[in-house]
Amino acid sequence: MSGPIESSGDIEIYCHPARSSTRGTVPFFEQIQPGERLSLVFVPSETSVPPFSLKVFSPSGANILDTLVRDPPTGAPQSPPPIEFVVSAPGVYRIEIRSLTGRQRGDAKIRVG
């Protein structure tokens, strides 16, 4: 991985520390440390239809976030606020976003530590 986050699929995923001032879809290239609160936004393709299933897995494989998102936080001025979670251990965290009504999906890996 070249940076702290690597995203692939039809749904683009952006993640950065909540302490940073950017709310939009600006890539973050600095190192992420254990104990930091991360803000997650994602941009679905134009053909994606809500709701979306969002899952975040820790480096040990434990599911630390499993939720249904009806209005995606895209980082645009009128979108909902980013989804936040805390990374507590070093390693690679995995993010999965799936459209429940279609075949669109997005996967990301975040390197912590």
Side-chain angles (χ1 to χ4, degrees):
M1 293 165 71
S2 59
I5 185 167
E6 181 179 290
S7 178
S8 64
D10 303 314
I11 301 172
E12 190 68 28
I13 301 168
Y14 298 91
C15 200
H16 55 80
R19 62 175 160 71
S20 65
S21 62
T22 58
R23 177 187 156 115
T25 55
V26 178
F28 182 80
F29 296 104
E30 295 177 21
Q31 187 174 11
I32 297 171
Q33 297 297 326
E36 288 196 74
R37 178 176 295 275
L38 299 183
S39 294
L40 180 134
V41 295
F42 61 94
V43 182
S45 67
E46 293 179 8
T47 59
S48 296
V49 179
F52 299 95
S53 169
L54 168 64
K55 295 181 181 184
V56 179
F57 298 93
S58 71
S60 66
N63 191 339
I64 60 172
L65 180 65
D66 188 355
T67 188
L68 191 67
V69 180
R70 297 190 188 283
D71 194 10
T74 61
Q78 298 300 319
S79 79
I83 296 167
E84 294 187 350
F85 62 97
V86 176
V87 291
S88 58
V92 177
Y93 286 75
R94 210 167 34 91
I95 300 172
E96 295 179 358
I97 300 176
R98 307 275 186 265
S99 172
L100 295 181
T101 59
R103 297 180 186 259
Q104 292 83 18
R105 57 178 241 176
D107 296 301
K109 293 179 181 178
I110 300 172
R111 187 178 52 214
V112 175

